[in-house]
Amino acid sequence: VENMNKRVRRYLPRDTDLLSLPHQSVRSICERLNATPRKCLDYRTPTEVFREQLVEIVSLPE
């Protein structure tokens, strides 16, 4: 969590009012953060890992 907070602070200073930001700006920051490879994910992006998990859930037999 602290690591993610540090990453977010690269784009948004601590005193930023999040409610005053345009939706597109917040979305753009989220997309950038989720497209960054992470060592803890074996250098995959959070988006890749999330999609893999979705595929596993959808392909489970009922």
Side-chain angles (χ1 to χ4, degrees), residues 45-62:
T45 68
T47 300
E48 291 170 334
V49 173
F50 181 73
R51 285 188 179 144
E52 289 171 10
Q53 293 294 312
L54 283 179
V55 168
E56 284 181 27
I57 290 170
V58 171
S59 12
L60 287 176
E62 292 183 25

PDB file of all heavy atoms in Angstrom, residues 45-62:
ATOM      1  N   THR A  45       2.429  -6.545 -15.534  1.00  0.00           N
ATOM      2  CA  THR A  45       1.666  -5.371 -15.107  1.00  0.00           C
ATOM      3  C   THR A  45       0.458  -5.814 -14.290  1.00  0.00           C
ATOM      4  O   THR A  45      -0.022  -6.950 -14.448  1.00  0.00           O
ATOM      5  CB  THR A  45       1.180  -4.547 -16.313  1.00  0.00           C
ATOM      6  OG1 THR A  45       0.212  -5.310 -17.019  1.00  0.00           O
ATOM      7  CG2 THR A  45       2.327  -4.147 -17.230  1.00  0.00           C
ATOM      8  N   PRO A  46      -0.058  -4.943 -13.426  1.00  0.00           N
ATOM      9  CA  PRO A  46      -1.284  -5.282 -12.699  1.00  0.00           C
ATOM     10  C   PRO A  46      -2.447  -5.611 -13.647  1.00  0.00           C
ATOM     11  O   PRO A  46      -3.248  -6.502 -13.360  1.00  0.00           O
ATOM     12  CB  PRO A  46      -1.580  -4.021 -11.886  1.00  0.00           C
ATOM     13  CG  PRO A  46      -0.233  -3.418 -11.656  1.00  0.00           C
ATOM     14  CD  PRO A  46       0.521  -3.687 -12.931  1.00  0.00           C
ATOM     15  N   THR A  47      -2.504  -4.941 -14.775  1.00  0.00           N
ATOM     16  CA  THR A  47      -3.558  -5.214 -15.750  1.00  0.00           C
ATOM     17  C   THR A  47      -3.444  -6.638 -16.283  1.00  0.00           C
ATOM     18  O   THR A  47      -4.454  -7.348 -16.399  1.00  0.00           O
ATOM     19  CB  THR A  47      -3.491  -4.200 -16.915  1.00  0.00           C
ATOM     20  OG1 THR A  47      -3.654  -2.887 -16.380  1.00  0.00           O
ATOM     21  CG2 THR A  47      -4.564  -4.465 -17.948  1.00  0.00           C
ATOM     22  N   GLU A  48      -2.243  -7.076 -16.593  1.00  0.00           N
ATOM     23  CA  GLU A  48      -2.040  -8.442 -17.087  1.00  0.00           C
ATOM     24  C   GLU A  48      -2.475  -9.472 -16.047  1.00  0.00           C
ATOM     25  O   GLU A  48      -3.172 -10.437 -16.375  1.00  0.00           O
ATOM     26  CB  GLU A  48      -0.569  -8.681 -17.433  1.00  0.00           C
ATOM     27  CG  GLU A  48      -0.079  -7.924 -18.632  1.00  0.00           C
ATOM     28  CD  GLU A  48       1.428  -8.005 -18.801  1.00  0.00           C
ATOM     29  OE1 GLU A  48       2.154  -8.210 -17.803  1.00  0.00           O
ATOM     30  OE2 GLU A  48       1.876  -7.843 -19.947  1.00  0.00           O
ATOM     31  N   VAL A  49      -2.071  -9.265 -14.818  1.00  0.00           N
ATOM     32  CA  VAL A  49      -2.413 -10.207 -13.750  1.00  0.00           C
ATOM     33  C   VAL A  49      -3.920 -10.235 -13.529  1.00  0.00           C
ATOM     34  O   VAL A  49      -4.523 -11.308 -13.381  1.00  0.00           O
ATOM     35  CB  VAL A  49      -1.673  -9.841 -12.449  1.00  0.00           C
ATOM     36  CG1 VAL A  49      -2.128 -10.697 -11.288  1.00  0.00           C
ATOM     37  CG2 VAL A  49      -0.164  -9.949 -12.653  1.00  0.00           C
ATOM     38  N   PHE A  50      -4.549  -9.088 -13.548  1.00  0.00           N
ATOM     39  CA  PHE A  50      -5.997  -9.014 -13.371  1.00  0.00           C
ATOM     40  C   PHE A  50      -6.721  -9.776 -14.481  1.00  0.00           C
ATOM     41  O   PHE A  50      -7.639 -10.563 -14.222  1.00  0.00           O
ATOM     42  CB  PHE A  50      -6.446  -7.554 -13.339  1.00  0.00           C
ATOM     43  CG  PHE A  50      -7.916  -7.379 -13.147  1.00  0.00           C
ATOM     44  CD1 PHE A  50      -8.495  -7.617 -11.914  1.00  0.00           C
ATOM     45  CD2 PHE A  50      -8.719  -6.968 -14.197  1.00  0.00           C
ATOM     46  CE1 PHE A  50      -9.861  -7.453 -11.730  1.00  0.00           C
ATOM     47  CE2 PHE A  50     -10.078  -6.804 -14.024  1.00  0.00           C
ATOM     48  CZ  PHE A  50     -10.653  -7.044 -12.782  1.00  0.00           C
ATOM     49  N   ARG A  51      -6.291  -9.569 -15.720  1.00  0.00           N
ATOM     50  CA  ARG A  51      -6.922 -10.276 -16.849  1.00  0.00           C
ATOM     51  C   ARG A  51      -6.740 -11.784 -16.742  1.00  0.00           C
ATOM     52  O   ARG A  51      -7.653 -12.549 -17.033  1.00  0.00           O
ATOM     53  CB  ARG A  51      -6.363  -9.760 -18.164  1.00  0.00           C
ATOM     54  CG  ARG A  51      -6.901  -8.405 -18.514  1.00  0.00           C
ATOM     55  CD  ARG A  51      -6.492  -7.975 -19.899  1.00  0.00           C
ATOM     56  NE  ARG A  51      -7.063  -6.666 -20.173  1.00  0.00           N
ATOM     57  CZ  ARG A  51      -6.468  -5.736 -20.871  1.00  0.00           C
ATOM     58  NH1 ARG A  51      -5.279  -5.957 -21.401  1.00  0.00           N
ATOM     59  NH2 ARG A  51      -7.039  -4.570 -21.075  1.00  0.00           N
ATOM     60  N   GLU A  52      -5.548 -12.207 -16.329  1.00  0.00           N
ATOM     61  CA  GLU A  52      -5.306 -13.644 -16.145  1.00  0.00           C
ATOM     62  C   GLU A  52      -6.246 -14.220 -15.098  1.00  0.00           C
ATOM     63  O   GLU A  52      -6.784 -15.313 -15.274  1.00  0.00           O
ATOM     64  CB  GLU A  52      -3.855 -13.889 -15.730  1.00  0.00           C
ATOM     65  CG  GLU A  52      -2.849 -13.650 -16.826  1.00  0.00           C
ATOM     66  CD  GLU A  52      -1.411 -13.694 -16.321  1.00  0.00           C
ATOM     67  OE1 GLU A  52      -1.176 -14.089 -15.148  1.00  0.00           O
ATOM     68  OE2 GLU A  52      -0.518 -13.329 -17.098  1.00  0.00           O
ATOM     69  N   GLN A  53      -6.435 -13.483 -14.016  1.00  0.00           N
ATOM     70  CA  GLN A  53      -7.345 -13.945 -12.961  1.00  0.00           C
ATOM     71  C   GLN A  53      -8.785 -14.022 -13.465  1.00  0.00           C
ATOM     72  O   GLN A  53      -9.508 -14.967 -13.131  1.00  0.00           O
ATOM     73  CB  GLN A  53      -7.265 -13.020 -11.747  1.00  0.00           C
ATOM     74  CG  GLN A  53      -5.938 -13.062 -11.026  1.00  0.00           C
ATOM     75  CD  GLN A  53      -5.686 -14.404 -10.376  1.00  0.00           C
ATOM     76  OE1 GLN A  53      -6.551 -14.938  -9.701  1.00  0.00           O
ATOM     77  NE2 GLN A  53      -4.508 -14.950 -10.609  1.00  0.00           N
ATOM     78  N   LEU A  54      -9.197 -13.054 -14.251  1.00  0.00           N
ATOM     79  CA  LEU A  54     -10.544 -13.085 -14.821  1.00  0.00           C
ATOM     80  C   LEU A  54     -10.749 -14.298 -15.712  1.00  0.00           C
ATOM     81  O   LEU A  54     -11.790 -14.961 -15.653  1.00  0.00           O
ATOM     82  CB  LEU A  54     -10.825 -11.806 -15.617  1.00  0.00           C
ATOM     83  CG  LEU A  54     -11.157 -10.560 -14.833  1.00  0.00           C
ATOM     84  CD1 LEU A  54     -11.377  -9.391 -15.783  1.00  0.00           C
ATOM     85  CD2 LEU A  54     -12.378 -10.757 -13.969  1.00  0.00           C
ATOM     86  N   VAL A  55      -9.768 -14.581 -16.541  1.00  0.00           N
ATOM     87  CA  VAL A  55      -9.852 -15.741 -17.436  1.00  0.00           C
ATOM     88  C   VAL A  55      -9.989 -17.022 -16.619  1.00  0.00           C
ATOM     89  O   VAL A  55     -10.784 -17.902 -16.943  1.00  0.00           O
ATOM     90  CB  VAL A  55      -8.634 -15.798 -18.385  1.00  0.00           C
ATOM     91  CG1 VAL A  55      -8.567 -17.121 -19.102  1.00  0.00           C
ATOM     92  CG2 VAL A  55      -8.679 -14.643 -19.368  1.00  0.00           C
ATOM     93  N   GLU A  56      -9.219 -17.136 -15.545  1.00  0.00           N
ATOM     94  CA  GLU A  56      -9.302 -18.321 -14.682  1.00  0.00           C
ATOM     95  C   GLU A  56     -10.694 -18.454 -14.070  1.00  0.00           C
ATOM     96  O   GLU A  56     -11.267 -19.542 -14.017  1.00  0.00           O
ATOM     97  CB  GLU A  56      -8.270 -18.250 -13.564  1.00  0.00           C
ATOM     98  CG  GLU A  56      -6.864 -18.550 -14.021  1.00  0.00           C
ATOM     99  CD  GLU A  56      -5.872 -18.496 -12.871  1.00  0.00           C
ATOM    100  OE1 GLU A  56      -6.273 -18.735 -11.708  1.00  0.00           O
ATOM    101  OE2 GLU A  56      -4.691 -18.228 -13.152  1.00  0.00           O
ATOM    102  N   ILE A  57     -11.264 -17.356 -13.623  1.00  0.00           N
ATOM    103  CA  ILE A  57     -12.578 -17.386 -13.002  1.00  0.00           C
ATOM    104  C   ILE A  57     -13.648 -17.781 -14.023  1.00  0.00           C
ATOM    105  O   ILE A  57     -14.505 -18.615 -13.756  1.00  0.00           O
ATOM    106  CB  ILE A  57     -12.917 -16.016 -12.359  1.00  0.00           C
ATOM    107  CG1 ILE A  57     -12.038 -15.790 -11.152  1.00  0.00           C
ATOM    108  CG2 ILE A  57     -14.383 -15.947 -11.980  1.00  0.00           C
ATOM    109  CD1 ILE A  57     -12.103 -14.386 -10.583  1.00  0.00           C
ATOM    110  N   VAL A  58     -13.564 -17.182 -15.209  1.00  0.00           N
ATOM    111  CA  VAL A  58     -14.558 -17.458 -16.244  1.00  0.00           C
ATOM    112  C   VAL A  58     -14.462 -18.896 -16.737  1.00  0.00           C
ATOM    113  O   VAL A  58     -15.467 -19.519 -17.060  1.00  0.00           O
ATOM    114  CB  VAL A  58     -14.390 -16.457 -17.421  1.00  0.00           C
ATOM    115  CG1 VAL A  58     -15.244 -16.841 -18.604  1.00  0.00           C
ATOM    116  CG2 VAL A  58     -14.715 -15.055 -16.948  1.00  0.00           C
ATOM    117  N   SER A  59     -13.249 -19.464 -16.768  1.00  0.00           N
ATOM    118  CA  SER A  59     -13.094 -20.826 -17.294  1.00  0.00           C
ATOM    119  C   SER A  59     -13.315 -21.918 -16.262  1.00  0.00           C
ATOM    120  O   SER A  59     -13.216 -23.079 -16.590  1.00  0.00           O
ATOM    121  CB  SER A  59     -11.740 -21.034 -17.923  1.00  0.00           C
ATOM    122  OG  SER A  59     -10.814 -20.081 -17.708  1.00  0.00           O
ATOM    123  N   LEU A  60     -13.649 -21.567 -15.038  1.00  0.00           N
ATOM    124  CA  LEU A  60     -13.928 -22.581 -14.023  1.00  0.00           C
ATOM    125  C   LEU A  60     -15.184 -23.358 -14.402  1.00  0.00           C
ATOM    126  O   LEU A  60     -16.179 -22.782 -14.843  1.00  0.00           O
ATOM    127  CB  LEU A  60     -14.146 -21.934 -12.654  1.00  0.00           C
ATOM    128  CG  LEU A  60     -12.907 -21.387 -11.951  1.00  0.00           C
ATOM    129  CD1 LEU A  60     -13.340 -20.687 -10.655  1.00  0.00           C
ATOM    130  CD2 LEU A  60     -11.923 -22.482 -11.633  1.00  0.00           C
ATOM    131  N   PRO A  61     -15.141 -24.678 -14.231  1.00  0.00           N
ATOM    132  CA  PRO A  61     -16.355 -25.459 -14.515  1.00  0.00           C
ATOM    133  C   PRO A  61     -17.441 -25.156 -13.490  1.00  0.00           C
ATOM    134  O   PRO A  61     -17.154 -24.892 -12.325  1.00  0.00           O
ATOM    135  CB  PRO A  61     -15.888 -26.909 -14.397  1.00  0.00           C
ATOM    136  CG  PRO A  61     -14.610 -26.863 -13.657  1.00  0.00           C
ATOM    137  CD  PRO A  61     -14.036 -25.479 -13.802  1.00  0.00           C
ATOM    138  N   GLU A  62     -18.650 -25.185 -13.930  1.00  0.00           N
ATOM    139  CA  GLU A  62     -19.764 -24.854 -13.024  1.00  0.00           C
ATOM    140  C   GLU A  62     -20.271 -26.058 -12.313  1.00  0.00           C
ATOM    141  O   GLU A  62     -20.249 -27.133 -12.601  1.00  0.00           O
ATOM    142  CB  GLU A  62     -20.880 -24.194 -13.807  1.00  0.00           C
ATOM    143  CG  GLU A  62     -20.447 -22.846 -14.298  1.00  0.00           C
ATOM    144  CD  GLU A  62     -21.559 -22.128 -15.032  1.00  0.00           C
ATOM    145  OE1 GLU A  62     -22.735 -22.421 -14.784  1.00  0.00           O
ATOM    146  OE2 GLU A  62     -21.232 -21.292 -15.856  1.00  0.00           O
TER     147      GLU A  62
END
